[in-house]
Amino acid sequence: MVDTTRRTFILSGIGLAGSCLLPRALWAAGIGSGPAGKSLLPAHGGESPVAPREQWLLDFDWRFAFGNGDDPTKDFGYGFGQGDFSKTGDFKIATTDFDAAGWRALDLPHDWAVELPPVHDDTGDDDTRLTSHGYKPLGRRYPATSVGWYRRTFEIPASDRGRRIWIEFDGAMRDIVLFVNGCFIGRHDDGYTPFRFDLTDFLNYGGSNVVALRVDASFGDGWFYEGAGIYRHVWLTKMDPVHLGRWESVVRSAVEGDAASLELAGIVENESGHAVQASLEWSITDASGRVIAQATTPAQAVASGASTDCRTTAHIDAPQLWSPDEPHLYTALVKLVVDGATRDAEQFPFGIRTASFDPDRGFFLNGKPLKIQGTCNHQDHAGVGAALPDRLQSFRVGVLQGMGCNAVRTSHNMPTPEWVAACDRMGMMMMCETRHMSSSPSGMQQLETMVKRYRNSPSVILWSIGNEEWRLQKGALEQQGERIGAAMVERCHELDPTRVVSAAVNGNNEQGVSDALDVIGFNYNLKYPDVFHREHPKRAVYGSETSSAIATRGEYATDPKKNTVNSYDGVVEWGETPEQWWSFYGTRDWLAGGFAWTGFDYRGEPTPYGWPSVSSQFGIVDLCGFPKDYYYYYKAWWTKAPSLHVFPHWNWQGREGQEIAVWVYSNLDEVELLLNGKSLGIQQVPRFGHVQWKVAYAPGAIEARGRRDGRTVLVERRETTGAARKLRLTADRPEIDADGQDVAMITVDVLDEHGRPVPTANNKIAFRISGAGKLIGVGNGDPNCHESDKEPRRSLFNGLAQVIVQSATDAGSIRIEAVEESPAAEALTPASLTIATKRAAPRRVVA
Ligand code: GAL
């Protein structure tokens, strides 16, 4: 019998809603997979099960404990003697006898690094000092906080005997060793690629099973904050022995006039022990669910233990093309049929579009020129580190789209599936980058996994084989670079003939790895692209990494004593201000555009400072997604709607009569600035530039009036506010799903007695969360703040903080209350907010 307690699963409809490229969600009646006597059909809708595949989300109900990288006695005896791997089945932690009662209960995704207080380690150079990792104590010198154990029990029904059962991880940081039911199963040792293990032979059918992982984050893969632990989803996948190959189901489209032809490819793998005749039945539906194309491959023989490639084609009239403005998606359903019975199926979204790079005219999407207005991004966020709930991925895409960003580069690693899914759904183009530039077996495996995993994604317009590998670009390993680059590019072409391949190169692109690239990417170095274009007029060029402007949100002076950078023109010596790089890339038709470093701030790399700075200052928005002033530069020049932004704030008490630099970003013709109603003059706005004044401070208001064709189109004011009086909470959405995963992003700010936000407030606020949800993180975007991301309190930083709350599985409401903690004088008026949580597709089922 099956124990159905706390089982979690995904069904076909939900898999689609989540826009996973992987068919996360198909299971069928017929194979005794569901709990006896219970239907696993979703209560909310009428989706039918289509195939004997189940994919269960295994995120909930894990137990966690720190091990130790040095001392086996503190690492549950791991490595104490010689025994851990000597006999199959002896590994105690992964048996039901082991008592994990003292271990902490948690749900995935989980990043333990974000929970650790920073450590000021001053030994050695930047790397050894933990600077790059944002001073999180990870590494071989921090054995007590660098190893974590995860453990979970799960039931497998007797009726599953005969199926293939896999445990699948979307990613973990970093070296894992996995045991099931006392048996060593396997290892994985990079932090960004998904991995899976076939558990079929090791399971206890009709009873309890135990999985245990040792995750060692002593080594990192990069030079930035990377998190630690199982920071992406985990799945339990059950399949028929005759099943589809992993990530082999591919839809390739070609647009011909007003129609699209589709190449439909899949691989049948036969682990059944006898030969079968198999065919693939494809059906394509549009966004309304209407089937618009179908195709079936002829039945082909698949010998036992073999796999067979099955291909066919289909045709769509008047396809709706995918683009950032209209991200139309279609759904492909592929069924594997043997003797009339469906043995496996996958369902995934795809898009139809053309994308090409032209050496003279830049990037073209669907035959029209489109500048890449891109940003590079790492994957962590305030409050949660690298363990982002799915919804936070779309929140982040939305923040970037707000300034007109139409493309992201997944610097410098294979992204989380839900980030790609959000980009597909919301119309954000992507340059997908692998972590290691190497044609070694592990480098190639990372690359292949990325390309196979995401090649159905319309958002991906470009593969990147790596970033700034100076030894392979020029000098000592330049010739090896040629060979390594060529091998990687060739493999990308084999797996995906529809996309071009590039790399982010911080040199002149004249030798080494660059020779093999389809499209040439320049990191920084504005001195190179013109020369390169002249010398190589047939090669398409774009900016793979630009800018590296730095700013502390809401700060207007660069002060090394406070580790702040002014918000006007901070930039590293190798970089360019937004104005400098966009005036370059935006004015040359032959350049396809580029990717600014970075969209979001991220932990680690706190350039130009070190301790106590723990996060970067490169973001156009801070770690929470609150815009810095640069955001409005991009908004002015990357969006068409009239835009006007004046800064700084106008709270300069004590600086009366002193000159303050006032800047305005706008795409209007001219701007007039007024101080307390008196004009300080009108200035024409230069294309891709800004206007600025020096204003002797007097309390009151500065006002910018933007005109187009002589008419005032927009007016913006910064007023001197009074003292902070009351708290305010604002949620991004009033209602979220009660699925145990959805989140609401809450902005905390304070208002003066006239209801104006106070941009300089730094009060410390305490939060109480009650009802059908919990707090999962707090942040404020201050790169120098060492307050915990997990406790229910946070100081405002220049007027703002962020609280992330996550729903429970019961519908109801979440109440968030905010009060000032230890007020210096009269306390701020508290605030409260209620978020409704609505009954949702059952991502988690408690029977
Ligand atoms: C680049 C590098 C990025 C980041 C950036 C900071 O050279 O590719 O990862 O370190 O510099 O400016």
Side-chain angles (χ1 to χ4, degrees):
M1 276 303 281
V2 186
D3 175 0
T4 56
T5 40
R6 317 201 111 208
R7 290 184 71 166
T8 57
F9 66 94
I10 295 253
L11 292 150
S12 52
I14 309 161
L16 260 186
S19 267
C20 302
L21 294 180
L22 259 185
R24 305 249 146 174
L26 306 177
W27 80 282
I31 293 261
S33 53
K38 279 184 189 277
S39 166
L40 290 181
L41 280 177
H44 67 291
E47 296 93 343
S48 316
V50 291
R53 180 189 293 206
E54 287 177 66
Q55 192 159 31
W56 298 66
L57 185 64
L58 213 62
D59 279 3
F60 300 102
D61 304 321
W62 288 79
R63 295 275 173 166
F64 171 82
F66 275 119
N68 195 287
D70 230 12
D71 182 351
T73 63
K74 297 178 182 155
D75 202 20
F76 303 100
Y78 184 70
F80 195 78
Q82 212 182 336
D84 297 320
F85 301 94
S86 57
K87 292 284 179 194
T88 298
D90 267 0
F91 194 76
K92 291 280 172 313
I93 301 176
T95 63
T96 43
D97 295 341
F98 184 82
D99 182 9
W103 291 28
R104 171 180 160 199
L106 53 73
D107 296 333
L108 306 178
H110 173 235
D111 171 5
W112 82 68
V114 72
E115 299 167 358
L116 301 171
V119 169
H120 187 195
D121 182 335
D122 231 349
T123 44
D125 60 18
D126 266 6
D127 280 346
T128 54
R129 258 186 237 141
L130 299 177
T131 316
S132 299
H133 227 310
Y135 295 98
K136 294 297 187 185
L138 294 176
R140 301 222 44 216
R141 290 179 303 115
Y142 298 93
T145 47
S146 296
V147 172
W149 284 89
Y150 293 84
R151 190 178 179 282
R152 191 194 197 278
T153 56
F154 58 100
E155 307 297 314
I156 294 288
S159 54
D160 272 353
R161 206 171 269 124
R163 307 174 85 187
R164 304 306 303 187
I165 301 186
W166 297 81
I167 190 162
E168 305 192 304
F169 294 81
D170 284 345
M173 186 55 74
R174 176 186 188 258
D175 297 12
I176 71 103
V177 193
L178 183 125
F179 301 88
V180 168
N181 294 339
C183 304
F184 166 64
I185 304 292
R187 301 173 189 276
H188 184 77
D189 67 354
D190 81 78
Y192 298 102
T193 57
F195 51 96
R196 68 174 186 169
F197 301 101
D198 187 342
L199 302 184
T200 309
D201 295 344
F202 300 89
L203 293 172
N204 174 21
Y205 295 88
S208 287
N209 295 268
V210 183
V211 54
L213 282 87
R214 184 178 188 270
V215 183
D216 185 347
S218 301
F219 289 87
D221 275 303
W223 52 96
F224 38 87
Y225 176 88
E226 304 188 279
I230 310 178
Y231 71 94
R232 292 179 181 166
H233 294 310
V234 182
W235 310 87
L236 193 70
T237 302
K238 304 175 178 183
M239 286 187 279
D240 190 276
V242 183
H243 53 79
L244 294 159
R246 192 189 197 201
W247 304 322
E248 299 292 357
S249 303
V250 183
V251 177
R252 290 197 184 105
S253 59
V255 181
E256 289 145 10
D258 200 22
S261 63
L262 306 182
E263 258 183 55
L264 308 167
I267 286 186
V268 176
E269 291 176 355
N270 181 4
E271 298 183 82
S272 71
H274 50 86
V276 297
Q277 290 278 323
S279 63
L280 298 187
E281 291 181 10
W282 287 85
S283 55
I284 309 296
T285 46
D286 65 14
S288 70
R290 198 167 53 97
V291 176
I292 51 162
Q294 284 178 306
T296 301
T297 64
Q300 279 171 260
V302 193
S304 173
S307 60
T308 298
D309 211 343
C310 300
R311 286 165 191 268
T312 183
T313 56
H315 178 91
I316 297 182
D317 286 324
Q320 293 197 291
L321 302 184
W322 185 96
S323 70
D325 288 340
E326 293 179 60
H328 294 293
L329 290 177
Y330 291 90
T331 301
L333 170 65
V334 53
K335 292 186 192 174
L336 188 173
V337 179
V338 176
D339 297 331
T342 301
R343 305 284 288 268
D344 193 11
E346 291 181 342
Q347 187 166 253
F348 56 90
F350 70 98
I352 300 175
R353 49 124 189 91
T354 63
S356 58
F357 286 80
D358 183 281
D360 298 318
R361 295 162 64 209
F363 176 67
F364 281 68
L365 190 78
N366 299 325
K368 295 193 201 106
L370 180 66
K371 273 274 185 213
I372 294 172
Q373 301 175 164
T375 57
C376 305
N377 289 282
H378 285 315
Q379 58 179 10
D380 63 308
H381 190 90
V384 295
L388 271 67
D390 299 353
R391 161 70 200 168
L392 191 38
Q393 308 285 5
S394 4
F395 174 83
R396 285 165 64 92
V397 172
V399 167
L400 296 174
Q401 285 182 325
M403 64 170 184
C405 173
N406 63 14
V408 289
R409 169 175 168 226
T410 70
S411 47
H412 304 294
N413 50 265
M414 177 168 175
T416 296
E418 291 74 22
W419 176 238
V420 184
C423 291
D424 282 345
R425 224 172 33 237
M426 296 172 73
M428 179 68 87
M429 300 185 290
M430 303 194 99
M431 167 167 165
C432 230
E433 183 161 289
T434 192
R435 179 68 288 281
H436 288 130
M437 186 185 280
S438 174
S439 54
S440 70
S442 84
M444 282 305 232
Q445 211 231 325
Q446 289 182 22
L447 181 73
E448 287 178 9
T449 302
M450 179 180 82
V451 175
K452 283 189 167 187
R453 177 67 181 83
Y454 296 127
R455 61 190 161 172
N456 285 314
S457 246
S459 57
V460 178
I461 55 166
L462 197 56
W463 302 119
S464 165
I465 60 166
N467 173 68
E468 294 191 353
E469 295 287 347
W470 39 82
R471 287 184 190 80
L472 303 181
Q473 289 169 196
K474 188 175 183 171
L477 296 183
E478 173 181 321
Q479 304 209 334
Q480 286 88 333
E482 277 176 33
R483 297 193 289 266
I484 290 169
M488 294 180 83
V489 171
E490 191 184 336
R491 191 67 186 126
C492 289
H493 289 166
E494 279 163 17
L495 294 171
D496 177 18
T498 71
R499 288 182 182 84
V500 288
V501 184
S502 185
V505 171
N506 57 334
N508 63 4
N509 268 303
E510 289 294 352
Q511 58 284 307
V513 70
S514 303
D515 279 357
L517 304 176
D518 299 320
V519 186
I520 293 294
F522 281 101
N523 280 15
Y524 311 99
N525 289 304
L526 296 184
K527 59 183 184 273
Y528 290 140
D530 282 335
V531 181
F532 186 91
H533 181 55
R534 225 177 15 250
E535 304 285 320
H536 309 276
K538 297 219 168 343
R539 302 196 74 176
V541 181
Y542 72 104
S544 37
E545 189 174 314
T546 65
S547 192
S548 273
I550 38 178
T552 317
R553 177 182 56 74
E555 295 289 329
Y556 297 95
T558 296
D559 182 350
K561 289 206 197 73
K562 286 169 61 194
N563 282 13
T564 58
V565 183
N566 84 73
S567 294
Y568 304 100
D569 60 0
V571 64
V572 294
E573 57 170 291
W574 59 91
E576 310 102 20
T577 63
E579 244 168 287
Q580 286 165 341
W581 88 267
W582 193 248
S583 306
F584 186 90
Y585 279 89
T587 51
R588 286 161 174 75
D589 284 348
W590 52 274
L591 283 170
F595 296 87
W597 190 265
T598 48
F600 278 76
D601 270 346
Y602 51 95
R603 290 174 182 78
E605 271 205 327
T607 322
Y609 306 112
W611 184 268
S613 296
V614 290
S615 66
S616 90
Q617 313 228 16
F618 291 115
I620 299 165
V621 302
D622 71 16
L623 208 55
C624 301
F626 297 132
K628 303 179 187 177
D629 293 292
Y630 283 142
Y631 187 85
Y632 300 96
Y633 171 82
Y634 290 106
K635 190 169 183 192
W637 300 113
W638 281 4
T639 66
K640 294 213 169 59
S643 170
L644 180 78
H645 175 74
V646 55
F647 63 102
H649 60 70
W650 211 238
N651 280 11
W652 299 104
Q653 288 86 339
R655 292 189 52 186
E656 285 73 9
Q658 292 177 25
E659 282 197 330
I660 307 282
V662 175
W663 286 33
V664 176
Y665 293 135
S666 178
N667 52 12
L668 298 170
D669 300 342
E670 58 184 29
V671 175
E672 179 176 16
L673 189 74
L674 297 94
L675 172 65
N676 295 330
K678 188 164 161 282
S679 178
L680 301 178
I682 297 173
Q683 295 193 48
Q684 304 296 308
V685 184
R687 185 166 184 240
F688 299 154
H690 73 278
V691 287
Q692 69 184 78
W693 284 260
K694 287 256 188 259
V695 181
Y697 177 66
I702 43 166
E703 181 175 301
R705 296 182 181 163
R707 300 204 183 88
R708 180 172 281 166
D709 300 328
R711 256 182 356 99
T712 301
V713 179
L714 287 172
V715 176
E716 268 232 331
R717 286 162 71 82
R718 298 277 169 260
E719 295 181 16
T720 309
T721 71
R725 287 272 184 267
K726 59 175 184 181
L727 278 155
R728 177 166 70 171
L729 298 173
T730 315
D732 64 332
R733 291 178 303 155
E735 184 179 74
I736 63 174
D737 287 345
D739 62 359
Q741 300 212 315
D742 203 359
V743 291
M745 308 296 295
I746 294 156
T747 300
V748 188
D749 65 356
V750 282
L751 309 176
D752 74 358
E753 61 188 342
H754 300 295
R756 297 175 297 199
V758 180
T760 43
N762 289 321
N763 314 57
K764 187 156 190 181
I765 315 300
F767 306 102
R768 200 156 76 92
I769 316 294
S770 53
K774 63 180 183 201
L775 177 129
I776 60 163
V778 295
N780 63 9
D782 178 357
N784 302 309
C785 182
H786 292 183
E787 292 169 12
S788 163
D789 279 5
K790 294 295 174 184
E791 282 176 25
R793 54 182 55 80
R794 192 72 173 201
S795 301
L796 300 172
F797 176 60
N798 291 331
L800 294 167
Q802 184 171 66
V803 175
I804 309 175
V805 294
Q806 186 166 54
S807 63
T809 46
D810 341 307
S813 59
I814 311 174
R815 189 167 166 76
I816 301 106
E817 292 163 277
V819 295
E820 185 175 11
E821 204 170 73
S822 353
E826 196 184 327
L828 300 169
T829 307
S832 67
L833 175 72
T834 301
I835 313 263
T837 69
K838 68 166 188 300
R839 191 141 179 264
R843 295 204 90 187
R844 179 187 198 193
V845 169
V846 182

